[in-house]
Amino acid sequence: MAPGYALALAFSVALLVTTDAGNPGLVARITQKGLDYARQQGIIVLKQKLSTLHLPDYSGSYDVGVLGNVDYDINSMVVTDLQLPSSEVTLLPNVGLKLTVSGAYIEIHGKWRVHYLFISSHGDFELKVLGISISVGLSLGSDGSGRPTISTADCSAHISDMQVHFSGGLDWLINLFDDTIASSLRDNLQKQICPLVADAIQNQLEPVLRTLPVTSNIDDVAAIDYSLTGPPIVTAENLDVQLKGEFFERSHRSPPPFSPLPLSIPDDHSLMVYFAVSEYLFNTAGFVYQSAGKLIFNVTDDMIPKDFPVRLNTSSFGKMIPQISKMYPDMLMKLKISSPSAPSLAMKPGNVTISPLLDIQAYAILPNSSLAPLFLLNLSTDAVAKLGVNSSRIVGHLELSSITIALERSDVGPFPVQILSFAVNYYISHILLPEVNDILKNGYPLPLLDHIQLSNLMLKLNEHYLLLGADVQYE
Ligand SMILES: *[C@@H]1O[C@H](CO)[C@@H](O)[C@H](O)[C@H]1NC(C)=O
Ligand SMILES: *[C@@H]1O[C@H](CO)[C@@H](O)[C@H](O)[C@H]1NC(C)=O
Ligand SMILES: *[C@@H]1O[C@H](CO)[C@@H](O)[C@H](O)[C@H]1NC(C)=O
Ligand SMILES: *[C@@H]1O[C@H](CO)[C@@H](O)[C@H](O)[C@H]1NC(C)=O
Ligand SMILES: *[C@@H]1O[C@H](CO)[C@@H](O)[C@H](O)[C@H]1NC(C)=O
Ligand SMILES: *[C@@H]1O[C@H](CO)[C@@H](O)[C@H](O)[C@H]1NC(C)=O
């Protein structure tokens, strides 16, 4: 094959793969209401940060004509008061976010020193910076590792007024040109704001984003991939972060044999956040645990409640299938229940159904502890899943609606399988199902930041996904 052709082929395969991997398994949507709440919390943090802002010393010189220059320097500046009365975070469609602060006020205390001819003097000053407005556009993206990126798209800053009052020493001297110092300080400060903002974003926020975990371990077997499938999608109403939302096996990752379906999330934005959890996410969990051989469950007689009449022993089963007690008299039995294929659930408006196939292999336990196979049943089951949320985890509960039993293989000769219905129904619904529900009760954790609590929960089943809406509270 010609190298050029191979390259073109590789390229088109890569393109195909990229488009194929396009649909997310999970979408986290933040509404304007959510941004407003985040801004309120952010302002508190920002105020604390700015209060401890280190202001650089500053020196200048004032030309007093034939009399020469007055040299001054300003030092030891500390912020004594700071007000951020008005701020806004808005969505910038197709770009990211716009952050505006207006009417901000800072009061600074500092020391001054002047040198003029042979005179030198020093004292204190109070500086009031009034009407500070800042507007920053932030563009959001994603990098090759599936992490979000943020950068300043544009920035403007303006200070409308500055008042300075000097006291102590020869304050009359410096008060002669306080307006000049104030406007020089103003220009200087105004010029510093945007570089400071850009620096904070590039050197403080970006490094945090670059180290965000994109996978989260669930247990020894599985982890979830939370990497971004593309840049966040920003519209006038919402910010959608599209995540892979896929379980994978920790010891060796192999792609699931199915892909996520597109999610069309309704245009609802009365709550702060929404999560659209595709059935894909749950089905990759089924795929991972089944291929890791974890969907196997052994049942022995000691697990069967004492009052249930059909014991897991050959004399008890011999009453239904006489060959069993003839071939293996007076022995205990064991059932191995396994899932021959990955269970997959289907979400529809109003309900979630899951129809797992099960194999039940029955054994007699021989006196030397080895197992003699008796028969193999295959079952098709139908169950309805109830989903809920318990402290930021999606939890589930299964209810069986039907079980159909067939005999796949018998090592004890033919028998009518219906004879086992009563016992099998009981083992499935009273032994296996409670175990499964115990696991589902632990649930699957939503990708939330620490200290975030959900309230006003809304849960709705849609075609192929679960929509969960909530208000958040930072604690
Ligand atoms: C079930 O029993 C088999 C054979 O006795 C054993 O190898 C396996 O580890 C058991 N599985 C579980 C989950 O207990
Ligand atoms: C088998 O179960 C019967 C009750 O059906 C009980 O009487 C008998 O002792 C059990 N045998 C064994 C070997 O556990
Ligand atoms: C689930 O809902 C679909 C339609 O919404 C309906 O056809 C089906 O019977 C329901 N299944 C169960 C088990 O309730
Ligand atoms: C256990 O006993 C059975 C028959 O009694 C025999 O066929 C089998 O090989 C024995 N297994 C072991 C591990 O000794
Ligand atoms: C059991 O398996 C057979 C073949 O493997 C299949 O034809 C049959 O539909 C299955 N029955 C159930 C109830 O799953
Ligand atoms: C929620 O989960 C906790 C532990 O994770 C559990 O103790 C509690 O019973 C659960 N509540 C409900 C309503 O399931």
Side-chain angles (χ1 to χ4, degrees):
M1 202 187 306
Y5 180 72
L7 197 65
L9 189 66
F11 218 79
S12 44
V13 167
L15 279 177
L16 275 179
V17 169
T18 323
T19 34
D20 195 40
N23 289 326
L26 179 76
V27 178
R29 163 171 290 186
I30 305 166
T31 62
Q32 182 63 52
K33 186 184 180 193
L35 287 178
D36 289 341
Y37 181 76
R39 175 192 53 84
Q40 280 174 27
Q41 301 303 308
I43 284 290
I44 298 170
V45 177
L46 187 66
K47 251 186 100 163
Q48 285 164 355
K49 281 236 171 225
L50 290 177
S51 310
T52 58
L53 192 68
H54 172 74
L55 297 162
D57 294 351
Y58 177 75
S59 60
S61 161
Y62 181 61
D63 186 355
V64 283
V66 290
L67 296 173
N69 283 335
V70 177
D71 296 323
Y72 62 86
D73 81 73
I74 302 283
N75 61 72
S76 316
M77 285 191 279
V78 287
V79 174
T80 52
D81 190 15
L82 176 90
Q83 303 297 334
L84 297 167
S86 155
S87 59
E88 229 182 0
V89 177
T90 49
L91 293 154
L92 271 184
N94 303 321
V95 179
L97 300 171
K98 189 182 186 73
L99 231 119
T100 53
V101 171
S102 54
Y105 166 86
I106 303 181
E107 199 171 301
I108 292 163
H109 178 90
K111 297 190 184 302
W112 61 269
R113 229 177 4 228
V114 291
H115 255 298
Y116 173 58
L117 303 175
F118 49 87
I119 310 170
S120 72
S121 184
H122 60 88
D124 289 1
F125 73 89
E126 298 296 335
L127 174 70
K128 290 175 180 166
V129 190
L130 303 156
I132 309 170
S133 53
I134 308 170
S135 164
V136 190
L138 298 172
S139 60
L140 304 177
S142 62
D143 68 10
S145 66
R147 293 179 172 85
T149 59
I150 188 167
S151 58
T152 30
D154 58 73
C155 175
S156 64
H158 181 75
I159 295 170
S160 65
D161 194 17
M162 202 118 163
Q163 292 166 4
V164 61
H165 176 73
F166 296 97
S167 59
L170 301 171
D171 54 2
W172 59 268
L173 176 63
I174 197 158
N175 273 325
L176 282 181
F177 51 91
D178 56 359
D179 282 350
T180 315
I181 295 181
S183 81
S184 152
L185 269 172
R186 191 184 94 170
D187 290 349
N188 200 6
L189 209 60
Q190 197 166 276
K191 264 186 272 168
Q192 278 185 42
I193 294 173
C194 281
L196 264 174
V197 169
D199 180 75
I201 286 165
Q202 198 188 336
N203 296 317
Q204 301 201 10
L205 195 52
E206 263 287 336
V208 174
L209 296 183
R210 270 200 298 276
T211 56
L212 274 184
V214 287
T215 62
S216 166
N217 290 340
I218 296 291
D219 51 30
D220 291 344
V221 178
I224 293 190
D225 186 335
Y226 282 129
S227 56
L228 271 67
T229 56
I233 296 172
V234 187
T235 66
E237 312 278 5
N238 312 300
L239 167 68
D240 281 358
V241 184
Q242 307 205 308
L243 308 169
K244 202 160 185 96
E246 175 182 297
F247 275 73
F248 64 92
E249 199 174 336
R250 289 174 63 181
S251 60
H252 77 286
R253 188 170 181 167
S254 57
F258 46 85
S259 322
L261 293 164
L263 308 176
S264 63
I265 310 171
D267 230 359
D268 185 357
H269 31 256
S270 52
L271 296 167
M272 296 181 188
V273 292
Y274 292 88
F275 292 96
V277 190
S278 168
E279 60 193 19
Y280 177 77
L281 183 140
F282 299 100
N283 290 339
T284 55
F287 168 70
V288 165
Y289 288 104
Q290 200 271 337
S291 31
K294 295 295 167 185
L295 302 185
I296 296 175
F297 185 69
N298 294 328
V299 183
T300 45
D301 189 57
D302 53 325
M303 296 161 78
I304 314 254
K306 292 283 160 273
D307 56 356
F308 187 67
V310 185
R311 309 308 310 173
L312 267 185
N313 73 37
T314 52
S315 19
S316 200
F317 267 69
K319 293 195 183 110
M320 299 177 287
I321 308 162
Q323 304 95 294
I324 289 182
S325 49
K326 275 194 207 111
M327 290 168 73
Y328 304 102
D330 247 353
M331 291 175 198
L332 280 169
M333 286 170 57
K334 172 174 174 165
L335 302 178
K336 185 178 126 194
I337 306 180
S338 61
S339 202
S341 58
S344 86
L345 54 75
M347 291 179 169
K348 293 244 181 307
N351 65 35
V352 188
T353 51
I354 176 165
S355 307
L357 297 176
L358 296 175
D359 280 348
I360 300 183
Q361 174 66 57
Y363 299 100
I365 305 172
L366 303 182
N368 63 8
S369 307
S370 60
L371 301 173
L374 301 175
F375 54 82
L376 171 65
L377 304 177
N378 62 337
L379 278 66
S380 355
T381 61
D382 288 309
V384 176
K386 300 261 183 286
L387 300 179
V389 175
N390 181 1
S391 52
S392 78
R393 285 171 165 264
I394 295 180
V395 295
H397 184 84
L398 284 187
E399 279 164 21
L400 274 177
S401 34
S402 75
I403 302 178
T404 315
I405 309 171
L407 180 65
E408 193 160 314
R409 197 185 63 239
S410 174
D411 298 280
V412 293
F415 62 89
V417 75
Q418 292 75 14
I419 208 162
L420 293 175
S421 293
F422 173 63
V424 167
N425 267 292
Y426 183 88
Y427 297 148
I428 297 293
S429 54
H430 288 77
I431 315 277
L432 178 65
L433 194 62
E435 289 284 332
V436 171
N437 280 332
D438 230 32
I439 296 166
L440 296 179
K441 203 171 73 189
N442 282 328
Y444 144 75
L446 286 167
L448 291 176
L449 302 174
D450 289 345
H451 308 292
I452 296 279
Q453 294 290 322
L454 300 179
S455 59
N456 301 331
L457 282 169
M458 186 276 311
L459 212 64
K460 191 165 180 292
L461 282 165
N462 290 334
E463 193 78 21
H464 305 310
Y465 72 97
L466 169 73
L467 183 68
L468 190 153
D471 283 334
V472 299
Q473 198 153 356
Y474 183 80
E475 301 191 324

